[in-house]
Structure formats: structure tokens, C-alpha cells
Amino acid sequence: MESMFPRQNTTVDGLTAVDTFSYNEETWTSYEDLTRFDGPLVLVSASGRRRELARHVEATTVEALDLNRTIERFFGLDPANDVNLKLNDVLAEHLLKNGEPIEENVRDVIDMNFLPWDTFLGNVQANDTMTIDWQGATTNYAPLGDVPNALDGTHSNKSWDGLLGGWLPSSRKIFRGTVDSQDWIESIIFADVDSQDSTIIHMWFATKWVKGGIVREKNFGLNYPEFLPMRTRPTADDFYPALLRYMDYWESNVEDFSSPSLPDPTWADMTKHAFAVELVQRGGGVASRYGTFDRFYAGSEFEGFQDIFTTSLTANLAWGRFKQARAIFENYMDWYVYDNGDINMRGPEVPQFGLSLSLVARYVQYTGDITLVEKYKGKILAWAKLLTDLHDESLRLPVGDPYYGLISGWSESDAALNSDSWRWSKPYWNNGAFAARGFKDLSKIQIFAEYAEDWTSRAAQIINQTSRTLDRFIQRNSTPPYVPVLANETNRVIEDLTENETTSPQRWAHRVYAELLQASVLSSTQTNLIINSMQAYGITSLGVVANVTPLRADTRDILGFISYGYALSLLLQDRIDEFILFLYTHRYHVHNRGLWIAAEVSSTGGSASTYCQPSQFGTPIVLRAALLFEHPDEEVLFVMRGVPRKWLSKGKVGIQKAPTRWGFVGFETQMEEKTGTITTVLNFEKPPPGEVRVKFRLPNGSQLKGATINGQAVDWKGEEVIWKVGTNSTVTAFKSVTVEGRF
């Protein structure tokens, strides 16, 4: 045990020298600000080399959260009777009352959720992970025991968590004294990246007690407690070189990443962290896996789940991680898809086959890699044949049958777990909607040209039939009108589940609505009817799709893992305030705070289910769409459509090398409120689409008064500047385009 350090030197940037160590034949010094626990860790070598780790933290106990709470819990309403037991989404309505929701209010309106454990760590090459609990302990090591003089019972109620470097897969915990803000214990944990052990994760620990700006006690650990003389405790000369190698390792593994610039860097960090988490969670960084650590969800029986494939492919493509996207594509097709298209998983989900076809098309459009698609063409065609066969089967029904022309089958994999699984083999709207989306998109890829005519014809037929049938069964005897889950279904979702939750054909209604909207095949009028119906009749919670069950007094569960399609639909419909509420809620109430691990389902009552990989990608997918979003059918690119007003008022907003159907696109926006101008500089790798719409979400009360592109006046509508590219455009240059608005 190292003794106290009553005298410490302050030299670099006003920071205090805490440790010295040797690395690559040089002496290095670590520096910290010992007056605050959210300052950086700076490592400087004798020759002047410098490495810096940001250390943002978030409150992770109610007592810590209450120090800066901006709003009363539940707006002062009774959580049970006034919120959870209401059909309408009460909290969302309150947060949206004055337009764009306030981020801090969304964060604070309910308390944070707690997962069964706080985080899990590992490296890319291993096939397992290790969890960390709320005290920073693993099943092998309890680091708080390394600072025994600090364990006086005053460091447990106020705690904060964060990540090294802002995004690296790690755990940094702060346990502050109950009264003294200058008294805290810090615990840093990260997984060893040099280890080639496939099943045992080797873990580094650094624990110290700081009080009054002085390190009172500190220690390092590796894997297990000291066992002399065989197992000695590591020193600074062991820990810090391992930390530097760890930093290089993760920067290399997540280097292919479209770089966003945002006033609050934690949003970019959270996104980058999601991709690091995927590499930790997947065996060898690639093997399909739904959860982690625990047998439940980390077991092989979940590996073929289609949502793992589709969500990961969506996120990796969106953020320019083409290498990882290819690896995931290849792994899934090799190990989890049979030659006849069947999935190596208990319950194939019909809509996911259609989404998979759409993503195959997107993969080709973004990467240009036709070779990989050629390799699996037979399996891809088998997916398409399943959907055409199911469609043909529906066309053999009498024309007057409510299910005529609608694709039947399981919409949810869990249906297969029931002995009466036939109950859920029905023509849910999302079955046909995603089939149509898949047919439309894949028909544009040249190697499938011989099927294009049939697929586009079927897509139109499915969309028209879905639209007609849905319109026929909308219940217009209430305000807003109610949109059912199934044709010819008179009972509404919540009442039907309340009467018979386990056998209702409306189980998993959340998936039906979310995927129907994500497919984006219905008219704007019908889409808005569906959204309004969801919000009014128990299908959303805090602005996110709910995990729909009978209403309960203790919670109104929030669905983390398949709800992002709802947000994308809000964006397409220009319902931006609601979209931003989704973005904020998903960050603050699907993930735990600071360590940013996403739960499959979280609650309004403070608890959450375990981690699942598709949930982790919800926020990155939605954030990328907020910055750059492609119309699914038209030649239209939306720029900044979902960016909060607050962000534009606080600093630069942009992204570089973001992939689209029209090549890589980048932009940077700066608002000058004093001069009443806002400027976006757009960069295109290839010719842009026929129309580019740049959204300037101005400060409340401001209006756009004029707009130019490269100095030439152009049209605008509301807050959106419209650049019509092509022969009629007055702007011919496209490699770099400057869009300016006056307000």
C-alpha cells in the first residue's frame, strides 16, 4: 500500500503530478486536477509527447442527480394514477408543451434506470466479457478495498460514472463524500488488450482516495487480489504502459468512423462508444450475439436473432464502418442463414426478411461491394422467394377476405416459444410493409435486375392493399382515430392484453407499429394517423415506443431495441420536436448514466432489463439521421432536419465523411445570433441528389428571412432551404456548397 502524498507538484496546465512511470525507454508523468473529479488525465513524456484522456462523468445516484435536478419528478404528478395508468403519453405531452423539449428536463423528469450490473468490459479478440457492479467490483476483485482508510461509510450516496477518453470501453467511478465535495474515491477499470486469452478477461484497476486536493491513498490491481510471494501487486510502471497500449488499441479499432462535431461532445462519444461496445460484446468482435456475460441473452440460442444483424448493419453503414459491416454481413450469412433462406434461430420474423433485403441494397449503394452480395445471392433470393410465396398465398384468399393480399407469419420471434404459436402467424401490417420496402430497394441493384419488374409490381400491390385495408379498419369513432394492429380487429391493444395478455394476437404490438412506420411505405396522412394513435392509446412512453403490456401502476416501460424506426418516421414527417424527445429519452432512459450501456427494456420506475446489442445502436442510428437523412424513395437529402435548436445556438454542428446513396457527404454549420446569420458548408464526394434540404432550426421567435446558395438567392419553406439540383438549378458547383440563411 502506497503512503500519503502530502506534497505534490503542479506543473502542466495547472494540473498536479500524480505518478511517474517508464514506457518505451522514457520517463512519463501523469497529471490531474485534484480539485475536481471531471478533469482530464494527462500523460506527458520526458521528450514532450502528450496523451490526454477526457473524463466526463454523469450522476448515477438519485442523491447526486438531485444536486442539479432541473424539474420535479413526473412534473409533480402521481406516477401511478396520473402517468403510468393513463392511455395517453402524459410525460411526453408535458415535455412537448412549449415545442422543442429541454434536454435537461427530459433527463430529470424520471430517475435514471439501473441495469443488473453497471457495465461489461473486454477486448476484441476474446470470446467473453467481464461485468462491473455499482462498486466497481468484478467477480474476482473489489477495488474499493485498496483504499481502506477512505471506507468510513460516507462515500456511497453520491456517485458519478464515466468513460476514459469520453468513449473508450472502460469504467470510471467516483464516490464522493456525503458533505465534502473535495473528498472522493476514484475507481478506474479497463480490460487488458494484450491478452490473447479467449475466455478469461484480464482487468486493470487503479483506485485512489483524494481529499482536499491531495491523493491520500492509491493502489493498482490486475485481475485478482495480491497473493504473496507468487502474485504481487502491479505498480505505476505496469499500469500506465498498459493504459497507453489500450488507448492505441481502441483508437485503431474504431478509426473508421464518420466524425461528428457537436457542441456537447458526449453525443459523439456515446455514438463511438456503441461501436466499441459491439466489438467487446461480439466474440472476436464479429460473432453474432444478442446480450453479454449472462447465459440469458449471451447464449447461443439467441445468436441467429435477425434484429442483431439488421440493427448492427444499419448502424455500421450509417457511420461509415464498412469493414465491420462486411464482417457482420459475412458472419451472419455463413453461420446463421441456411441455403433455403431459413434462419438458425427459433422464430424467424417475417418483417426482418424484408428489412434484410433493403439493407443488402443499402450495403451495395454505400460500399460498392457487389462481390459479397454475389457470394450470397442464392440465400438473398431465398429470402425474397419466401416473401413472394407468402404474398402469393395471400392472393389466393377471397378478395373480400380482410386478410386478402396481406402477408401472414410471425412478426415476433418469441411467438415460437409458445405451444400455440399459430395464434401469432397473422397478417400484421409490418410483415407486408417491410416486404414491400425490401422489394423496392433490392430491385434497384443491378445483379437482381431480372427480378426487378416482379418485385416492384409486388411492392406496389402490397402497399396499395395494405393502405386500403388499413384505412378500412381505422376506428374513427374516437379522437384521434384508432389504428388497429390487425385487419378486422375490433378490440384495442391495451384492452385486449388486459383481458388475455398471454394469448392475445395483439402481443408485441410495439413491434408491429414501429416496423410499419420504419418501412415508410404509407402516405403521410396514414403515417401521421398511426403516430397519433400510438401516442394516444398506450403505445408510447416518454416519447419512445413502449414495451406494450396491460397498463401497470409501477411503470410504463420504454422499448430500447426496435423503437428507432418510430423516430425515423417522425423525422420523415417533419415532426421534429417529437423526434428530439425520442433522441433525448433514448439516451437518458434506455442507457444507464455515464457508462452508457443500453437495456432491452427500461422502466419509468427506475429498473431495467439486461443489456442487448440492438438497443445500444438506437441512439447512434437516430443521431446520424438527425444530422443527415435520406428520403427512402425520393432523390432528397435532408441536412440537419433533426438537430435541436439548442445545439445550433451553442456552437458548430457537423459531420464528415458520412455515407449516403450519393457518396460521402460532410457539412459544418455555424450560427451567428448577433448578425442574424447561419451558414452551412456542404461537401459532396459525388454529384448530389436532385434535391437537398437544409434545415435551419433557429432560436425560438426567429424566422428565416432569406437564403442563398453560393451567394445566389434560393427558395425556402419555413426553416428549410431547398436546393433543387440539376439543369434548372442556378447553382452548378457541387463539390463544396455554401448555404446561408438570414434571420
Side-chain angles (χ1 to χ4, degrees):
M1 186 73 64
E2 298 190 35
S3 59
M4 294 183 185
F5 295 82
R7 305 183 72 178
Q8 294 167 306
N9 296 322
T10 302
T11 54
V12 173
D13 299 342
L15 304 179
T16 302
V18 174
D19 280 305
T20 59
F21 61 97
S22 296
Y23 180 59
N24 285 346
E25 300 181 349
E26 272 197 287
T27 298
W28 289 66
T29 304
S30 71
Y31 296 91
E32 300 181 45
D33 184 347
L34 297 179
T35 66
R36 52 186 293 179
F37 52 69
D38 59 351
L41 170 64
V42 180
L43 309 177
V44 182
S45 74
S47 65
R49 291 188 62 202
R50 177 181 175 128
R51 302 294 297 275
E52 184 170 328
L53 284 169
R55 297 192 299 182
H56 167 81
V57 292
E58 294 180 351
T60 47
T61 57
V62 173
E63 292 85 353
L65 179 62
D66 282 345
L67 294 174
N68 295 293
R69 185 181 288 277
T70 63
I71 195 170
E72 194 175 357
R73 292 177 185 86
F74 292 91
F75 287 97
L77 301 171
D78 177 69
N81 296 315
D82 296 336
V83 178
N84 295 333
L85 293 174
K86 295 291 186 181
L87 277 174
N88 57 314
D89 193 346
V90 174
L91 294 182
E93 291 172 2
H94 276 68
L95 289 163
L96 291 165
K97 187 176 181 180
N98 296 314
E100 181 176 300
I102 297 169
E103 182 174 350
E104 294 80 6
N105 289 356
V106 179
R107 179 194 67 194
D108 296 343
V109 71
I110 60 173
D111 289 332
M112 74 283 290
N113 289 301
F114 297 96
L115 280 73
W117 27 258
D118 277 13
T119 192
F120 60 91
L121 303 177
N123 55 40
V124 179
Q125 60 267 21
N127 196 40
D128 208 342
T129 60
M130 174 62 78
T131 56
I132 309 295
D133 73 9
W134 72 276
Q135 293 183 307
T138 70
T139 53
N140 298 320
Y141 198 90
L144 291 183
D146 287 344
V147 287
N149 292 316
L151 302 183
D152 57 2
T154 66
H155 295 87
S156 60
N157 290 335
K158 294 177 181 176
S159 65
W160 287 258
D161 283 70
L163 304 170
L164 295 174
W167 65 271
L168 298 167
S170 54
S171 169
R172 180 171 180 261
K173 291 179 171 291
I174 297 294
F175 304 93
R176 208 200 79 179
T178 304
V179 177
D180 188 354
S181 63
Q182 294 293 300
D183 176 4
W184 69 80
I185 299 170
E186 177 194 59
S187 167
I188 291 176
I189 312 167
F190 63 90
D192 185 79
V193 296
D194 301 318
S195 171
Q196 297 302 308
D197 199 322
S198 65
T199 56
I200 296 176
I201 304 302
H202 298 262
M203 308 285 281
W204 288 96
F205 302 84
T207 312
K208 65 173 171 281
W209 173 33
V210 177
K211 186 173 183 178
I214 296 174
V215 176
R216 306 285 176 172
E217 203 169 16
K218 64 174 178 158
N219 232 313
F220 301 103
L222 176 62
N223 295 329
Y224 312 110
E226 188 174 53
F227 180 67
L228 297 173
M230 302 175 74
R231 184 191 300 157
T232 59
R233 185 180 292 281
T235 66
D237 283 324
D238 303 309
F239 177 84
Y240 286 102
L243 176 62
L244 285 165
R245 293 192 299 272
Y246 157 89
M247 292 164 63
D248 292 338
Y249 173 95
W250 280 109
E251 286 165 4
S252 172
N253 273 286
V254 196
E255 64 181 351
D256 54 337
F257 174 71
S258 301
S259 178
S261 51
L262 301 169
D264 178 354
T266 65
W267 283 95
D269 286 341
M270 189 177 201
T271 297
K272 199 169 187 179
H273 176 251
F275 294 106
V277 166
E278 179 184 43
L279 293 175
V280 169
Q281 176 250 353
R282 287 177 176 266
V286 174
S288 183
R289 193 166 290 161
Y290 189 57
T292 190
F293 192 76
D294 305 305
R295 175 68 191 187
F296 190 58
Y297 282 5
S300 59
E301 60 271 22
F302 289 91
E303 289 177 0
F305 196 32
Q306 290 155 287
D307 297 79
I308 304 172
F309 171 67
T310 55
T311 308
S312 179
L313 200 56
T314 298
N316 279 283
L317 288 174
W319 287 94
R321 290 183 50 75
F322 294 166
K323 195 167 152 186
Q324 177 71 357
R326 181 188 171 97
I328 288 160
F329 195 147
E330 204 161 19
N331 173 267
Y332 193 76
M333 299 303 282
D334 281 344
W335 291 97
Y336 303 102
V337 183
Y338 296 108
D339 288 342
N340 69 349
D342 192 13
I343 304 298
N344 189 5
M345 170 70 177
R346 60 174 181 251
E349 297 165 336
V350 171
Q352 290 290 310
F353 286 108
L355 177 56
S356 296
L357 296 181
S358 175
L359 289 170
V360 169
R362 190 179 308 175
Y363 177 83
V364 174
Q365 290 167 333
Y366 279 19
T367 69
D369 179 12
I370 201 69
T371 305
L372 189 66
V373 177
E374 286 273 18
K375 178 180 177 181
Y376 300 113
K377 186 176 180 181
K379 293 181 178 181
I380 294 165
L381 287 173
W383 285 346
K385 185 177 185 303
L386 166 72
L387 297 175
T388 59
D389 286 350
L390 291 173
H391 183 224
D392 287 342
E393 187 177 317
S394 74
L395 295 175
R396 288 193 283 270
L397 294 171
V399 174
D401 192 299
Y403 291 172
Y404 173 80
L406 305 178
I407 292 177
S408 286
W410 289 328
S411 166
E412 164 60 49
S413 180
D414 285 353
L417 294 173
N418 296 271
S419 58
D420 54 352
S421 60
W422 52 267
R423 292 180 184 275
W424 297 281
S425 184
K426 293 190 178 295
Y428 298 103
W429 307 122
N430 52 330
N431 290 352
F434 259 145
R437 171 53 56 201
F439 287 149
K440 288 180 68 158
D441 293 347
L442 199 60
S443 66
K444 299 171 186 174
I445 305 304
Q446 184 58 37
I447 64 168
F448 299 104
E450 63 185 288
Y451 306 96
E453 185 177 355
D454 178 57
W455 289 348
T456 54
S457 173
R458 284 182 185 274
Q461 192 175 8
I462 293 169
I463 292 168
N464 290 337
Q465 188 61 55
T466 300
S467 177
R468 285 195 301 268
T469 306
L470 185 143
D471 196 64
R472 176 182 164 193
F473 289 103
I474 290 175
Q475 298 176 21
R476 292 182 167 84
N477 58 344
S478 56
T479 303
Y482 173 80
V483 180
V485 166
L486 283 161
N488 208 31
E489 188 65 58
T490 55
N491 271 4
R492 298 186 176 187
V493 170
I494 297 300
E495 65 185 60
D496 207 56
L497 292 175
T498 302
E499 291 172 9
N500 213 341
E501 183 177 5
T502 59
T503 59
S504 168
Q506 301 191 61
R507 281 183 75 183
W508 309 295
H510 39 263
R511 183 183 283 274
V512 177
Y513 290 117
E515 292 183 343
L516 170 60
L517 291 173
Q518 184 179 345
S520 301
V521 296
L522 298 176
S523 69
S524 180
T525 298
Q526 286 190 326
T527 299
N528 282 308
L529 278 172
I530 294 163
I531 293 169
N532 295 340
S533 176
M534 292 172 68
Q535 294 173 352
Y537 301 115
I539 314 298
T540 66
S541 178
L542 245 177
V544 175
V545 180
N547 186 54
V548 181
T549 63
L551 297 178
R552 294 168 47 187
D554 61 330
T555 181
R556 188 186 183 98
D557 283 351
I558 301 166
L559 188 67
F561 86 110
I562 55 171
S563 53
Y564 67 91
Y566 171 75
L568 301 184
S569 182
L570 291 171
L571 189 62
L572 189 59
Q573 299 306 313
D574 208 14
R575 300 174 68 145
I576 308 305
D577 293 340
E578 293 155 288
F579 171 85
I580 290 169
L581 175 59
F582 182 105
L583 180 66
Y584 291 162
T585 295
H586 203 279
R587 169 178 173 162
Y588 291 109
H589 301 297
V590 170
H591 300 75
N592 62 1
R593 303 286 171 90
L595 299 174
W596 297 334
I597 298 300
E600 181 186 48
V601 176
S602 57
S603 82
T604 56
S607 63
S609 68
T610 191
Y611 156 89
C612 83
Q613 183 254 32
S615 279
Q616 194 75 42
F617 280 135
T619 295
I621 290 170
V622 175
L623 178 61
R624 164 54 215 273
L627 296 167
L628 283 173
F629 183 57
E630 301 164 52
H631 194 288
D633 295 308
E634 299 173 11
E635 290 285 299
V636 178
L637 176 65
F638 298 102
V639 181
M640 297 192 301
R641 189 169 238 211
V643 171
R645 299 182 193 281
K646 176 183 172 185
W647 293 6
L648 288 166
S649 295
K650 289 178 68 175
K652 292 180 180 179
V653 171
I655 189 170
Q656 299 305 317
K657 287 201 64 128
T660 71
R661 303 199 302 270
W662 309 284
F664 289 108
V665 177
F667 76 87
E668 185 175 87
T669 298
Q670 178 78 56
M671 179 187 289
E672 298 290 345
E673 292 194 52
K674 288 184 179 179
T675 60
T677 58
I678 182 167
T679 304
T680 294
V681 178
L682 281 158
N683 296 292
F684 296 93
E685 177 196 40
K686 297 177 180 178
E691 188 169 298
V692 178
R693 290 177 167 257
V694 180
K695 189 95 163 182
F696 289 144
R697 288 179 59 76
L698 304 172
N700 285 327
S702 299
Q703 289 185 331
L704 200 60
K705 297 177 181 176
T708 61
I709 297 180
N710 287 355
Q712 300 178 35
V714 292
D715 295 333
W716 76 92
K717 183 179 180 180
E719 294 183 316
E720 211 155 49
V721 179
I722 304 165
W723 175 28
K724 293 188 180 295
V725 185
T727 56
N728 296 326
S729 175
T730 57
V731 181
T732 55
F734 60 80
K735 290 291 183 183
S736 181
V737 176
T738 299
V739 184
E740 185 172 277
R742 291 181 292 103
F743 61 94

